[in-house]
Amino acid sequence: MEACLKKSIKQYRQILDHAEQLDHLLIKSDPEELRDYTVRLQELQDEAGMNDRIFLEVFPHNSDAWKDHPLFQERTRLLEQIVELNHLLLPRIRGMMAVTAHELSQIKGGRVAVAGYHQAPAQPNQYVRGVG
C-alpha cells in the first residue's frame, strides 16, 4: 500500500509540474506546442489512472488504518491542488476558446463577403461623340 501511495504522489506531482507550463503556452498560443502539451498531459493522467485503480482496489480494505498516514494526506493535498488548478484555468481556457471561435466566425464571414464580391468585367473602350 505504501509503495502505491508513493507512486501516486510522484505521478500527481508530475501532473502538477506539467500543468504549470499551461499558463505560458496559453499566452504563446502555439497550436503545435498546445497539442504536444495535451498529449503529454493525457499520458500522465492515464498513468495515474492505472495506479489509482490499483490503489482503490487495495485502499477500502485498510481505509481506517491509512487515512491518517502522511503519504495518504500528501496524496490528498496534491489532488486538491489539481482540482484548484482546474478551477483557475478552465475559465481562462473557455474565455480563450470563445474569443477564438468569434475570430474564426469573423474570418469566415469575411471570406463569404469576399467570395460574394465580383468586380464587373472591364468594358471595351466606347467613345461617345458629342454633338456640336
Side-chain angles (χ1 to χ4, degrees):
M1 180 69 162
E2 193 168 314
C4 194
L5 279 170
K6 286 180 180 178
K7 184 174 185 177
S8 183
I9 289 168
K10 179 183 175 188
Q11 290 170 326
Y12 286 125
R13 281 189 181 139
Q14 288 176 327
I15 289 171
L16 280 169
D17 290 343
H18 187 69
E20 288 178 5
Q21 300 172 32
L22 183 58
D23 195 40
H24 176 69
L25 291 175
L26 289 175
I27 292 168
K28 279 180 69 175
S29 297
D30 181 340
E32 186 67 26
E33 286 185 26
L34 285 169
R35 187 192 65 74
D36 293 344
Y37 169 88
T38 304
V39 167
R40 179 63 183 143
L41 181 60
Q42 188 63 52
E43 291 170 355
L44 291 170
Q45 289 174 336
D46 290 345
E47 291 170 13
M50 288 190 313
N51 188 58
D52 281 350
R53 281 190 283 286
I54 296 167
F55 175 78
L56 292 173
E57 287 176 12
V58 176
F59 181 71
H61 305 293
N62 299 318
S63 61
D64 290 335
W66 283 96
K67 70 179 179 181
D68 292 328
H69 192 281
L71 291 175
F72 183 79
Q73 291 176 352
E74 174 70 8
R75 180 182 178 274
T76 301
R77 187 183 64 75
L78 291 170
L79 286 169
E80 289 170 351
Q81 286 180 342
I82 290 170
V83 168
E84 179 66 23
L85 187 62
N86 284 340
H87 287 300
L88 293 173
L89 290 176
L90 282 176
R92 277 191 68 200
I93 293 169
R94 286 188 182 121
M96 292 179 79
M97 289 172 59
V99 169
T100 303
H102 178 71
E103 289 172 351
L104 287 173
S105 70
Q106 286 181 325
I107 290 170
K108 184 178 178 183
R111 284 186 182 167
V112 169
V114 170
Y117 175 78
H118 296 287
Q119 191 171 15
Q123 298 290 329
N125 289 338
Q126 295 180 3
Y127 296 102
V128 178
R129 293 185 158 188
V131 177

